[in-house]
Each structure stands twice: as structure tokens, then as C-alpha cells.
Amino acid sequence: MLKTALSIAGTDPTGGAGTTVDLKVFQSRGVYGMSVVTSIVAQNTTGVQQVFDQPLEVVEAQLNSVYSDIVPDAVKTGMLASSDVMDVVRPYILKHRIPYVIDPVMVAKSGDDLLDEAGKTAVRYKLLDLATVATPNLPELERILQMTIETKEDIDKAGKMFVNEIGAQSVVIKGGHMEGDATDYLFTKAGCIELTAQRTPTHHTHGTGCTFGAVITAELAKGRTIEDSVRTAKAYITSAIINTPKLGRGNGPVNHFSYPLEDV
């Protein structure tokens, strides 16, 4: 039976991030994709030009439309622009205890804020405890945990806090903002697994976080383990960055068609 996945996030009219790219990724991994739009974002590879946050009743109506008809096999949240939106989303995640991936989007690649200050604090207490996998980058992680992360010891401390104190089943601490090889750290209660790939020198990395999380979501929807899902996501995003199509005048998107289709 065809598996399904739901993306709850903002949009990107140029196709590089948000629900727009999540649907591409789900399709590329052989999963039927659905989306609930939380914010309409006017953005491109050069930055964010304008944001319109959907009224809460519209977000909830979309969620009702999906869950009353096709309950997904896995769900991912990305851009949730406020604490109030999290209050709308949380009951659906809580009721349907399916695999849940949270990409706690706070700032766009261009540096533009995508989450208000109250939301940056609330995400820790309103969603992260429900996560099967959380995928923060280092700046997001520092904001959530209110700590500076500069060393491997800091990463170890942060990962253990996520699974032991915040309550997420697992967290992938992405090392894209650190020096050296591109090493990500998967923390579960069983310990830490390091996933390393050679760093590719490119500024075309728009939507890498969305893409990475969407692959994990698709694999979890198919019944894969957390570790296998994250390993597939790491291989997928590495290929997508190496083979970037070099579109746009700024930080261009990655290539969502470069990972082998037969490996679905």
C-alpha cells in the first residue's frame, strides 16, 4: 500500500524550501505527499521579501481536511511562525502517534527571521517532546537550549539534553555550520552515531534543512528505523549538494533528482 507523509510548513514560490520542496522529496522517495500551509512566503534564492501567516482557523481547517480523510503515515513540521500555530498543531501530533519529524525553522538561509521571539522559546515546550526525530542546525540548537555550542563536548551535552530532558526520541545535530567535514550527530537514548561526508564548497544550499528532514519523514513513513532513515537522508542530501543545479542569483537550491531512484 502506498505510504503517505504530511508536511506542515510555509511555502517557497521558487521551489527550494518549505512544503514546496517537501512534496518533491516525498515523491522522490516513493511516498505520497500532502501539505498544510502555515505561511505564504515570498522568497527566492536572494532572500525573503514578504511573509503572510495564515489565520489560525485556516491552518486548523487544513489539518482537519487531511486528518479526517487521509491520516498520514508520518508528519513533518517546518516553519511554524508563532507559538499560537504550535498550539493548533500539537493536538494532531499528540492524538495520532505516528512518526513525527520537526525541523525547528527559525531563520532562513538569507538570515531573515521566520519565527517570532515567543515562538523561538515555545518550540521547546510545545513540540519537541513529541518528536521522533528533531533536526535543528547549530544556531537553532543554541537558541533552543540557551547555550553556546563550539566543541564536540558541547554537542554531546546538547544531544543528551534533547533525549533525556526535552524528551525527543532522537535528535540529529547538523554540523553544516562547523569547520571541517560535514559531520552530523544522531543522538538517541542508546548513544550517538556520527555521520560524516566530505564538505562540498558551494553556496547553493537553500533548503538543505527542509530536504534532509523530508527524507527522514518519507523513510519513517515506509517503516524504516530512525537510524536507517537518517542514514538515507545523509546520503541523499550529500548527493543533492554535490550535484546542485546552480539556479538563481543567490543561495540556490539543491538537486532533488540526483539520488538513485532505484534506492526507494
Side-chain angles (χ1 to χ4, degrees):
M1 187 179 201
L2 184 62
K3 297 300 183 179
T4 63
L6 172 65
S7 165
I8 307 172
T11 64
D12 178 354
T14 60
T19 60
T20 321
V21 82
D22 288 350
L23 293 175
K24 290 182 187 179
V25 173
F26 294 160
Q27 183 79 9
S28 74
R29 299 307 302 152
V31 171
Y32 181 83
M34 303 178 287
S35 68
V36 167
V37 175
T38 58
S39 300
I40 298 172
V41 185
Q43 65 174 311
N44 55 27
T45 65
T46 67
V48 174
Q49 291 79 50
Q50 192 170 344
V51 177
F52 174 75
D53 297 328
Q54 296 277 52
L56 297 178
E57 59 269 23
V58 174
V59 175
E60 182 147 31
Q62 294 177 81
L63 288 165
N64 277 328
S65 293
V66 173
Y67 280 92
S68 65
D69 192 22
I70 307 173
V71 177
D73 294 300
V75 61
K76 169 184 181 262
T77 58
M79 179 186 175
L80 303 176
S82 70
S83 175
D84 290 339
V85 177
M86 296 174 200
D87 287 333
V88 172
V89 171
R90 181 179 172 88
Y92 291 88
I93 306 298
L94 194 59
K95 179 180 178 181
H96 303 275
R97 296 310 293 255
I98 57 179
Y100 168 44
V101 177
I102 175 172
D103 179 14
V105 176
M106 296 183 180
V107 180
K109 189 71 66 179
S110 58
D112 297 281
D113 278 332
L114 296 175
L115 179 60
D116 65 23
E117 287 304 314
K120 289 177 182 178
T121 299
V123 67
R124 172 172 179 167
Y125 303 99
K126 294 190 175 183
L127 290 175
L128 285 172
D129 62 310
L130 303 179
T132 306
V133 185
T135 63
N137 59 32
L138 283 181
E140 290 162 350
L141 189 67
E142 290 181 330
R143 181 62 178 80
I144 292 166
L145 298 179
Q146 293 293 293
M147 63 180 287
T148 300
I149 299 172
E150 296 178 338
T151 67
K152 178 59 167 59
E153 289 72 25
D154 294 334
I155 289 174
D156 287 339
K157 180 180 178 181
K160 290 173 182 176
M161 285 179 67
F162 247 88
V163 296
N164 294 324
E165 296 181 23
I166 290 179
Q169 288 185 46
S170 67
V171 59
V172 181
I173 299 178
K174 298 178 290 189
H177 289 76
M178 300 187 78
E179 300 295 327
D181 288 339
T183 300
D184 299 329
Y185 303 86
L186 169 62
F187 285 87
T188 65
K189 287 191 178 296
C192 176
I193 298 171
E194 295 186 18
L195 304 172
T196 300
Q198 185 173 350
R199 188 178 298 276
T200 301
T202 178
H203 63 275
H204 293 293
T205 55
H206 179 53
T208 50
C210 300
T211 299
F212 185 76
V215 177
I216 296 172
T217 307
E219 298 307 304
L220 290 173
K222 292 184 284 188
R224 307 279 169 80
T225 66
I226 290 173
E227 180 179 342
D228 286 347
S229 299
V230 173
R231 287 187 180 278
T232 298
K234 180 67 172 178
Y236 185 110
I237 196 62
T238 299
S239 174
I241 293 173
I242 290 173
N243 298 291
T244 177
K246 300 179 181 178
L247 298 173
R249 295 184 295 107
N251 298 310
V254 297
N255 190 336
H256 304 95
F257 308 102
S258 65
Y259 196 66
L261 290 176
E262 61 269 19
D263 185 26
V264 173

